[in-house]
Amino acid sequence: MAGALAAKILPKPRILIVEDEPFILLTLEDMLSDLGCEVAASATRISEALEFIGNRPIDGALLDVNLGDQKIDPVADRLAAIGCPFVFTTGYGRSGVPHTHMERGVLQKPFRMDDLARVLRDEFKFIA
């Protein structure tokens, strides 16, 4: 009973999604909701993500490595500077991950619900 009560009282983890592909973005939003997380914001551009990070609290982020012709490096650097956990999403494996953040987790596209749940558990420690 106490565990169930604590689960109801604890706030949902707030996740920032930075993704420029609409289908993947919608899929992530739905999956995160199903896994008990709140989507704090969805950004499709580096400038949007940086503005959000500077103005709102988040508990973690999922970062597409490439947003069109923009690299995700400035967003990853900002999140690392404030100690916010993040994971890269990419279809290219570790080859596209910024060199300064090679130790971060990678969610390989295409992914399934259990892949995302594993990332939330192992990288963010959000779910059991």
Side-chain angles (χ1 to χ4, degrees), residues 2-58:
L5 182 58
K8 292 179 184 177
I9 294 172
L10 293 176
K12 293 180 178 183
R14 294 174 39 84
I15 307 297
L16 169 65
I17 303 171
V18 184
E19 172 64 59
D20 64 340
E21 293 293 331
F23 177 75
I24 296 172
L25 180 60
L26 291 172
T27 300
L28 279 170
E29 288 174 345
D30 288 345
M31 287 179 164
L32 286 168
S33 178
D34 289 348
L35 290 168
C37 296
E38 177 184 341
V39 175
S42 299
T44 59
R45 296 189 320 246
I46 299 295
S47 59
E48 291 173 337
L50 291 173
E51 182 177 338
F52 186 84
I53 293 167
N55 294 318
R56 310 285 298 283
I58 58 172

